[in-house]
Amino acid sequence: MVMRAYGPFELRWKLGLLATWILFTGWVFVESGDPLVWAVGGGAAIVFAFFALRRPLRRARLVRAPFPARWREVLEAQVPFYQRLDGAGRRRFEDDVRFVLAEHRFEGVDGVVATDELRLLVAAAAAMLLHGRPGWELPAGRSILLYPGSFDERYVATGGPILGQAHGQGPLIFSVPSLRHGFADPGDGENVALHELAHALDFEQARADGVPAQLAPRAVGPWLRLLHRERDRIFTGESALRDYAASSEAELFAVAVEQFFEAPRELREKSPQLYEALAQFFAQDPASV
């Protein structure tokens, strides 16, 4: 995960940086009288503007446009998290949805059509994870593949055991029935979009280890100890998490994220320390809503 400056603010500070560089280059040119200084400085400004301003300018255009009414209908009908937000919260949620849709490639596999509904469900899960932390960013430019059903280790959609998958540098893959189920039954603690996007938060140097990249280094040890205690509680039946979470630290984190957003009160009751750690991490308290 990388940091971001949210929306128009990103554009303002990058424009300020560009203006500062141009003024500095101009001052050096005046002092030195060397035209090469101006040529090099101006060239660097052009390169910076081309690469650094493309995304914030595109995002600034996106947030100025009206949010499509048909998209809002999908969110209102299928995303309880969105339903609970106030006006300002909805606007920021909608902005995050727009950014995900604009900056990721959605592809249907084996006859699946990447409809607005399916794309919006994936984008909504991303917006849920980011909502309390407007300075966070999911890795951009991913391909998101939509499969007609579960698949196997060869990525063949033949009813295999896999419902979704995240890769460190590759695509995110979702079974369409599982994607829809995650939002159709929002209280069961299972949402494949949240699960795989949690892995995307977790990936560091192409592998997931249960330690989100955003954690401060001093917090890594306590975080891992918490995960290991929760794994032991899964074995004794005391945890709110399903058994699959005990298979690895990465899966424990992803399952915990599902439970945190889908069944937060149960997680807070049965696993209060884990709930509190996730509440601090995401800067959200869904059990109190």
Side-chain angles (χ1 to χ4, degrees), residues 76-96:
E76 289 177 340
Q78 300 191 52
V79 184
F81 185 100
Y82 176 81
Q83 298 164 7
R84 296 191 293 266
L85 297 174
D86 61 15
R90 284 190 173 203
R91 285 191 293 273
R92 203 167 71 68
F93 191 96
E94 290 169 358
D95 286 347
D96 275 329

Side-chain angles (χ1 to χ4, degrees), residues 228-267:
H228 295 159
R229 286 197 301 271
E230 196 64 31
R231 180 187 58 197
D232 293 341
R233 297 180 76 250
I234 293 171
F235 292 142
T236 61
E238 301 171 89
S239 173
L241 306 184
R242 61 185 185 272
D243 291 348
Y244 179 65
S247 59
S248 70
E249 288 88 350
E251 296 303 338
L252 198 153
F253 173 63
V255 172
V257 168
E258 292 178 86
Q259 190 79 11
F260 178 75
F261 284 100
E262 289 242 317
R265 291 183 179 87
E266 180 186 1
L267 183 64

Side-chain angles (χ1 to χ4, degrees), residues 111-187:
V112 171
V113 176
T115 62
D116 281 352
E117 177 214 8
L118 297 176
R119 295 166 64 242
L120 283 164
L121 292 180
V122 176
M128 289 167 65
L129 296 181
L130 300 174
H131 195 73
R133 298 287 190 180
W136 286 4
E137 187 77 79
L138 287 167
R142 291 289 191 93
S143 291
I144 296 172
L145 306 182
L146 302 170
Y147 271 57
S150 58
F151 51 96
D152 59 24
E153 291 79 2
R154 299 170 298 160
Y155 304 102
V156 177
T158 56
I162 306 173
L163 305 179
Q165 196 167 73
H167 297 268
Q169 303 297 329
L172 299 171
I173 307 174
F174 301 102
S175 155
V176 167
S178 298
L179 177 62
R180 287 199 171 110
H181 172 79
F183 289 91
D185 190 357

